[in-house]
Amino acid sequence: MNFLQSLEISATGLYAQRKRMDVIASNLANIETTHTKKGGPYRRKMIVMSPKPVEGFDKTLALQAEGVKIDDIVEDKSPFRKAYNPSHPDADKDGYVLKPNVDLIIETTNMLLARRAFEANIAAIKSTKQMALKALEIGR
Amino acid sequence: MPDKLSFKKTFHALERAISIAHQRHSLISSNISNLDTSNYKAKDIDFKTALSQTLESDHEISLARTNPRHMELGTNSANSIEPFEEKGKWNGYNWVDIDKEMTRLAENNLRYRAATETLLRKMAILKEVIREGGR
């Protein structure tokens, strides 16, 4: 049992939140992307997380402290937005352009959540550090 | 037995308290890092119950080992604490309540520091006795 494991758990949390932030940034950057290599407009991406046992944890330990890992990045299957703009090169025969299913408000909210979750993990790391430093005082 | 008097009970209890606080810290960190994991259930251990259980089980009999290859009987009883899944509220995504977890983190941190500080003061007393005893 050592503090490095607690730190590692929090680090997986930091990593996951940062990756989530990457995906949100990608969604926001492509909010108006009307054609992609796959064809059709950009599809909003989402992150799927699952718990991950930390390596080196004593297998006999009943304690199940787990980190987090990113399972998959999936695409949002919800319908695209439609905008009337007949002069646009990606417009269909009726003059409608399909726009990505990215919602600015949803992305902004997720961005805030990711930031707060990141901060929560930082707080946990700070706490771990304080405890480790306090433990170092024993025997001084 | 002077060393038994000065070291045994308090030191032992404090050591266990520190160990439990540490395990609890791991669990809370784990809950926080799984804040966005769908269907995740927050885990925790009850500090008081865990401590009294550990201290009780430490009084149980131990086996004499005449050969180094003999197995030890329940080596570290602090490791046998079973965490429970919290009965939190479903927040539409999982069972982790961030406010609760942060409060627990702070509370547990204080417990850890309190135990360590007590241990330090106990040591300081012993030191004082050693220093002043010879006068």
Side-chain angles (χ1 to χ4, degrees), chain A residues 17 20 66 128 130 134, chain B residues 25 30 34 36 43 109 117:
Chain A
Q17 296 305 330
R20 187 180 175 203
E66 296 162 310
T128 311
Q130 276 180 2
K134 194 74 198 167
Chain B
H25 182 73
S30 162
N34 279 291
D36 289 306
K43 293 179 202 118
N109 190 5
E117 191 61 44

Side-chain angles (χ1 to χ4, degrees), chain A residues 5 12 17 24 29 32 35-36 45 47 53 59 63 66 68 73-74 76 92 109 122-123 127:
Chain A
Q5 277 157 355
T12 59
Q17 296 305 330
I24 295 168
E32 292 292 329
H35 62 268
T36 53
K45 289 183 177 63
I47 262 177
K59 288 282 175 284
L63 192 69
E66 296 162 310
V68 64
I73 297 177
V74 292
D76 189 344
D92 61 9
T109 319
I122 295 273
S127 193

Side-chain angles (χ1 to χ4, degrees), chain A:
Chain A
M1 214 60 231
N2 60 43
F3 278 110
L4 294 176
Q5 277 157 355
S6 307
L7 279 178
E8 202 180 313
I9 290 172
S10 297
T12 59
L14 289 180
Y15 175 78
Q17 296 305 330
R18 219 182 35 179
K19 270 275 165 267
R20 187 180 175 203
M21 201 57 225
D22 286 355
V23 168
I24 295 168
S26 154
N27 288 343
L28 283 176
N30 285 294
I31 199 162
E32 292 292 329
T33 306
T34 48
H35 62 268
T36 53
K37 269 184 194 165
K38 275 196 283 178
Y42 176 87
R43 267 191 191 280
R44 175 175 170 257
K45 289 183 177 63
M46 290 180 292
I47 262 177
V48 183
M49 300 182 192
S50 71
K52 164 193 151 202
V54 175
E55 271 173 49
F57 245 130
D58 199 341
K59 288 282 175 284
T60 58
L61 223 60
L63 192 69
Q64 299 133 359
E66 296 162 310
V68 64
K69 69 170 193 287
I70 291 170
D71 259 355
D72 206 0
I73 297 177
V74 292
E75 289 188 330
D76 189 344
K77 294 278 181 258
S78 64
F80 294 120
R81 280 179 292 141
K82 254 183 175 179
Y84 185 69
N85 188 359
S87 52
H88 195 282
D90 290 324
D92 61 9
K93 58 181 189 305
D94 299 324
Y96 282 100
V97 184
L98 284 179
K99 294 234 174 136
N101 51 356
V102 180
D103 187 332
L104 186 62
I105 294 167
I106 292 176
E107 295 309 318
T108 316
T109 319
N110 279 335
M111 196 163 76
L112 283 175
L113 287 174
R115 196 163 94 192
R116 296 292 174 240
F118 192 85
E119 282 170 5
N121 279 296
I122 295 273
I125 286 180
K126 275 188 184 155
S127 193
T128 311
K129 220 170 71 183
Q130 276 180 2
M131 283 164 76
L133 285 175
K134 194 74 198 167
L136 279 181
E137 283 178 29
I138 302 174
R140 205 171 56 181

Side-chain angles (χ1 to χ4, degrees), chain B residues 27-58:
Chain B
L27 281 180
I28 299 168
S29 303
S30 162
N31 291 343
I32 292 176
S33 68
N34 279 291
L35 201 60
D36 289 306
T37 307
S38 51
N39 290 316
Y40 184 82
K41 276 190 182 134
K43 293 179 202 118
D44 198 5
I45 40 182
D46 185 53
F47 190 87
K48 272 188 195 164
T49 332
L51 186 60
S52 58
Q53 256 177 26
T54 329
L55 290 179
E56 262 170 43
S57 67
D58 283 341

